[in-house]
Amino acid sequence: MLVDSFGRRIDYLRLSVTDRCDLRCTYCMPPEFKDYEDPAHRMTLEETARIAQVFVGLGVHRVRLTGGEPLLRARFGDLVRMLGQIDGLHDLSLSTNGTQLARYAGTLRASGVTRLNVSLDTLSRGRFVELAKRDALPEVLAGLEAAKREGFDLIKINMVWIPEINGDELHPMVDYCRSQGFVLRLIENMPMGDAARKLGSRSLQPVIDDLRQRHGLIDKVIPGGGPARYLASRDGQFTIGFITPVSQHFCDTCNRVRVSVSGTLHLCLGQEQNLELLPMLRGGASNDDLAVAIRDAVARKPWQHDFNARPEKMIRIMSSTGG
Ligand code: SAM
Ligand code: SF4
């Protein structure tokens, strides 16, 4: 079991398979961003699967693949198949921007991925271009249709809440998700890197109050729901979650760590403490050696992020951390 020095049990890993992306979401990657990891310093798929195996051996039963855009990684399907064979890995999920989802939905479902998080901040094609700097909304919507046909247990739509940009899209997005059977999740913008910081972060609390009243929503608990707080319609047909890392952080219940594509174990999204796993992977370390190092590192997991006290602190952007 992995437990940090504050007694928090770590049973969830976010594993990044690439730092590359085909979009440039304003809050995530600067439009001109090219500072990608040197390919020689990217974990191979076999190294990635080995890291997952070691974490599962340490009691981590849930792994979410992320990036950058994970579906851009060559042989991504092979990785999912490798991970699908790890005994003890009960929950394999994926975060994606959806642009390649139509192509991959079948493989993902067949390999044991049961839950998808798809980022979608707008339903307007023009605004999508403004926000993500690419004209890809039709592909994302087609990807979501394909995923729905494949019958995933749960499809969540992640919408980063920047009211100046997409505030007027809240109700259309609620209607869309309700009609499609998707769970909508609103996320406060976190000050990860200059671009995100410049946008600022707005509390979701007024939105929560408004939605609760307008739609008569009631509190709902979702098993494995992580840090999101959920509301649902009384008929149970619609659920909406709120992730409030800035206005009301949930660090005391944090259960996760992240590994970037370069094999850096990030102990906290909003702090710098880490452990470099790639030199160990390539330097002959056994799985036991890796497990000991990971256990020691987790003992150093910081208590909380500094998004409010020192928003200027994080220069690392989400796509290279593995969001
Ligand atoms: N490319 C995939 C995607 O967009 O879902 C996976 C990686 S992306 C970094 C993972 C999640 O991080 C997305 O839901 C995205 O909206 C979120 N994200 C990125 N930058 C963020 C920020 N500054 N604040 C809050 N969420 C952010
Ligand atoms: Fe790419 Fe996801 Fe970041 Fe958008 S949020 S730029 S899709 S990694």
Side-chain angles (χ1 to χ4, degrees), residues 42-59:
R42 289 194 321 219
M43 288 194 293
T44 64
L45 298 187
E46 289 70 20
E47 287 167 339
T48 307
R50 192 171 158 214
I51 287 297
Q53 172 96 58
V54 172
F55 271 93
V56 171
L58 285 164

Side-chain angles (χ1 to χ4, degrees), residues 171-223:
H171 298 296
M173 194 66 95
V174 167
D175 293 344
Y176 169 72
C177 289
R178 189 196 279 264
S179 69
Q180 299 298 312
F182 301 151
V183 169
L184 176 60
R185 298 196 318 166
L186 301 178
I187 307 175
E188 288 174 355
N189 179 38
M190 291 177 255
M192 302 278 297
D194 280 345
R197 218 173 350 263
K198 273 188 203 132
L199 289 169
S201 188
R202 302 282 174 278
S203 169
L204 277 168
Q205 197 53 53
V207 183
I208 299 175
D209 297 341
D210 176 52
L211 284 172
R212 196 192 279 277
Q213 278 204 344
R214 189 186 291 250
H215 296 278
L217 303 179
I218 51 176
D219 293 320
K220 175 171 179 177
V221 176
I222 292 202

Side-chain angles (χ1 to χ4, degrees), residues 21 23-25 27-29 68-69 97 319:
C21 192
L23 302 183
R24 289 290 180 278
C25 302
Y27 48 75
C28 183
M29 279 173 113
E69 175 44 41
N97 64 24
S319 59

Side-chain angles (χ1 to χ4, degrees), residues 18-30 66-70 95-99 119 121 131-132 160 318-320 323:
T18 181
D19 58 347
R20 293 182 169 263
C21 192
D22 53 349
L23 302 183
R24 289 290 180 278
C25 302
T26 313
Y27 48 75
C28 183
M29 279 173 113
T66 184
E69 175 44 41
S95 286
T96 174
N97 64 24
T99 61
S119 294
D121 300 313
L131 253 169
V160 177
M318 198 73 107
S319 59
S320 53

